[in-house]
Every structure is written in C-alpha cells, then in structure tokens.
C-alpha cells in the first residue's frame, strides 16, 4: 500500500468510551495521536503549557471528529499542576483510561555549552514530567482499585544507544525506558499496563526547528539515514499508539516498540557503510576475498 493512501489501522470503535490524556497533545505527534483517538471513539484531554494553542486545537478537533476534547494548561514539571489536570479530567469525564506521556523538550547543543539549568530543564520536562503524570494517575487508579488502565510513554531510539548533542534528552529518555519496564512489573498486577514507543524521525515543527534548524536540514537529510528511504508519517505512529492503549493490546506490557524504518540499526551495524560500494565493484571485491589464503 502506498503510504499516501494510508488510513488509520484500527477498527472504528477500538477506543469507544475510553478517556485518554495526551500530554503535549496540542501540537506535532501528540496532536496526531489525539485526532486518531477521537476518530476511534475516545474522549481526549490535551494538555501543555500553552492554553491558547490547546483551545484552538480542541475546537478544530471537535469540529473535525465530533468527539469531546478537554484542553487544559498543565506544566508537567509541576506536580500540583498535574494533580489539578487529573482532577479536572475526572470532573469532566468521570474517569481516565489511558495516559500518553508525550510532552517533551529538546534542542541540539554541544554538552559543554550547556548550563546546569539547561540540562535540568530537559530532565524535568521529559523524565520528571513523565514521572509526575504517571504518579498522579497511578496513585488515583490504585487508590480506587481501578484496572484495565494503560500508560504509554514516548521515548526514542537513542534511549538505548545514547547520542551526542542531545545528551540531556538521551539521559531523560533512557530514564523513561527504565520507568516503563519497571512499572510494567510492579503495576501490571494492579491492572495497569505500561508500554512505550521509540520513534525515529517524524517531521514536526517543534522537533525539526530545534534539532535540524536552518541549513542543517539540507546538510543532514534525515530520510537518508533510514533504510526505507523516508521519514515517518504521523498516522503510522498514531496507529501504534492507539493499538498500545486499546484493549486489543491487553497482553502487551513492558514492551518498547521501535518505529523508525530501521534507522538506528543501520547506524549501528558495523558494515552497513558498504551501501556506498558501487554494485559493479562487487565482482572484484569477491575475487580479492576468495584469493586470500591462510591468515
Ligand atoms: C543552550 C539553551 C538553549 C540552547 C535554552 N537553553 N535553549 N542552552 N542552547 N539552544 C537554556 C536556557 O538558557 C536556560 O538555561 C535553560 O536552557 C532553560 O531555558 P528556558 O528557555 O528558560 O526554558 P523553557 O522556557 O522551559 O523552554 C524549554 C525548552 C524549549 C526545552 C528550552 O525549547 C521548549 O519549550 N521546548 C518544548 C518543545 C520541544 O522542545 N519540542 C521538541 C521535542 S523533540 P539558563 O542557564 O540560561 O537559565 C524530541 C525528539 C527526540 O524530543 C528524538 C528525535 C529523533
Ligand atoms: P512537539 O510538537 O514540540 O511536542 C512537544 C509538546 O510538549 C508540545 O506540545 C509542548 O507544548 C509540550 N511541552 C513541552 N514542555 C512542556 C511542559 N513543561 N509541560 C507540558 N507540556 C510541555 O514535538 P513532537 O515532535 O511532536 O514530539 C512529541 C514526542 O515525540 C516527544 O516525546 C518527542 O521526544 C517524541 N519524539 C519525536 C520525534 C520526532 O522525530 N518528531 C522522534 C522521537 C521521539 P507547550 O510548548 O505548549 O508546552
């Protein structure tokens, strides 16, 4: 199927009756997730720091999908904000079924140029923001004895490999990975599944303007790093997220699904640079290798 023809993967009623919180849900990938959750029958709370952006987005999404969207300002770094956000969602919808920890902050910089506060800012948004939302919802679900709940964290592939020039983000996303697997064990028995997705490059204004600004975009074409030769489409990620918070993934817990067209494995494989060998050279290369005798 051509990627341009792609429609959502899930059946129409896959999230019917569910209430989903998506942090950072007013822009970029969070917005794509919110739209798809609504199309699948969920009610959605989108939160971030900018209420004007959220309010406009919520009105557009309601118009487009006919679903219910609650826009709430909430800085995920502040636990009191997060508790207030949770309580406002409970007041409006009566319950929460799934939390998508999508909010993030990031920018490229040589690490030695960073202040301690710059490093802390990213850790606070990405790791502590995820922790704060997870704690606020987890405490509520456990206190009420509610089950069939899902937490879905958005990490990235350099959570495993690390990466220069985005070191605070790499540290924070690695923490999110550890949080995902740890809570899958601890809270699984309480009926709370915890999973994550690790996207590769998906163009968004928020990420691209901070990671490949200006002429870096042309110099470092992200699609060229991907074996499939392209960047991701937002709906492809939304499909995966919807599956992982839906009852269809009820037996998936503690999983981290990479969705990057093979990007990070291509960077890791020692001989993948042989892509650059012109096909016509392989006869000569084979002859040389076969002619080698002994060690
Ligand atoms: C060095 C910088 C800097 C830069 C900010 N700082 N930008 N240092 N280089 N480019 C420093 C500031 O000087 C300050 O330190 C500290 O960081 C906090 O900056 P503030 O502007 O006060 O913080 P704040 O207003 O909270 O903004 C947070 C932010 C901003 C992260 C800096 O970019 C933001 O709001 N981002 C949200 C959206 C976002 O980042 N989306 C992209 C996610 S992409 P001092 O010491 O001066 O006080 C992503 C992709 C992952 O995660 C994987 C890709 C493959
Ligand atoms: P984005 O549009 O910039 O999304 C980040 C969102 O987080 C924004 O809506 C932002 O809204 C919100 N946010 C930032 N700080 C916050 C805070 N303190 N409290 C609450 N909300 C906050 O970028 P994106 O590309 O869609 O990224 C979404 C997620 O995908 C992130 O977790 C990112 O790490 C991950 N990811 C993206 C890519 C990619 O290629 N795009 C690859 C791998 C992983 P406000 O500024 O209004 O607060």
């Amino acid at each position: 199927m051509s990627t341009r023809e792609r429609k959502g993967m899930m059946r129409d009623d896959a999230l019917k009756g569910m209430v989903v919180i998506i942090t950072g849900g007013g822009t970029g990938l969070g917005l794509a997730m919110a739209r798809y959750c609504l199309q699948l029958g969920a009610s959605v709370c989108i939160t971030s720091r900018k209420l004007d952006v959220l309010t406009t987005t919520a009105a557009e999404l309601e118009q487009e999908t006919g679903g219910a969207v609650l826009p709430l300002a909430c800085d995920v770094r502040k636990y009191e904000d997060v508790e207030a956000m949770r309580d406002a969602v409970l007041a409006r919808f009566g319950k929460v079924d799934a939390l998508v920890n999508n909010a993030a902050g990031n920018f490229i910089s040589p690490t030695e140029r960073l202040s301690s506060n710059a490093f802390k800012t990213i850790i606070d948004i990405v790791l502590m923001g995820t922790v704060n939302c997870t704690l606020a919802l987890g405490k509520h679900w456990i206190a009420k004895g509610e089950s069939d709940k899902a937490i879905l964290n958005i990490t990235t592939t350099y959570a495993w490999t690390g990466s220069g020039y985005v070191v605070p983000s790499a540290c924070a996303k690695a923490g999110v990975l550890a949080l995902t697997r740890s809570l899958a064990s601890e809270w699984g028995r309480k009926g709370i599944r915890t999973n994550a997705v690790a996207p590769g490059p998906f163009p968004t204004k928020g990420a691209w303007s901070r990671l490949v600004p200006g002429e870096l975009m042309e110099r470092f074409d992200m699609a060229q790093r991907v074996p499939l030769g392209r960047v991701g489409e937002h709906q492809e990620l939304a499909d995966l997220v919807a599956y992982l918070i839906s009852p269809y993934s009820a037996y998936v817990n503690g999983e981290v699904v990479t969705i990057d067209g093979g990007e990070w494995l291509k960077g890791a494989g020692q001989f993948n640079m042989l892509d650059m060998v012109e096909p016509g050279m392989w006869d000569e290369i084979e002859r040389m290798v076969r002619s080698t005798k002994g060690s």
Side-chain angles (χ1 to χ4, degrees), residues 23-33 47-54 72-78 81-82 101-106 121 124-126 129-130 133 153-158 169 173 197-211 222 231-232 234 237 259:
T23 67
T27 65
L29 301 179
L31 169 56
M33 295 169 203
T47 86
S48 80
R49 294 165 300 177
K50 300 193 189 89
L51 188 58
D52 53 339
V53 173
L54 296 168
L72 288 176
C74 166
D75 187 331
V76 292
R77 291 172 286 195
K78 300 177 184 160
D81 269 28
V82 172
N101 284 308
N102 166 77
N106 198 3
T121 298
D124 281 351
I125 300 171
V126 177
T130 301
C133 295
N153 296 326
I154 313 299
T155 180
T156 191
T157 49
Y158 58 58
S169 173
K173 293 291 194 184
V197 296
F202 283 73
T204 64
K205 182 166 175 254
W208 257 221
S209 61
R210 292 175 174 93
L211 301 177
M222 301 298 257
V231 292
H234 291 196
L237 183 63
I259 175 165

Side-chain angles (χ1 to χ4, degrees), residues 6-16 18 20-47 53-54 56-70 100 102 203-204 233-243 245:
R6 289 189 78 264
K7 297 266 192 305
M9 167 187 84
M10 303 289 289
R11 54 193 297 167
D12 290 347
D13 61 353
L15 304 183
K16 194 169 170 28
M18 286 180 64
V20 181
I21 295 174
I22 303 176
T23 67
T27 65
L29 301 179
L31 169 56
M33 295 169 203
R35 176 181 291 112
Y36 196 40
C37 287
L38 288 158
Q39 288 170 351
L40 297 175
S43 299
V44 174
C45 166
I46 53 174
T47 86
V53 173
L54 296 168
T56 307
T57 303
E60 288 168 3
L61 286 174
E62 286 193 338
Q63 170 84 21
E64 186 185 328
T65 66
V69 186
L70 178 62
V100 181
N102 166 77
T204 64
E233 294 186 10
H234 291 196
Q235 184 60 43
E236 292 175 311
L237 183 63
D239 280 342
L240 183 57
V241 167
Y243 167 69
I245 62 172

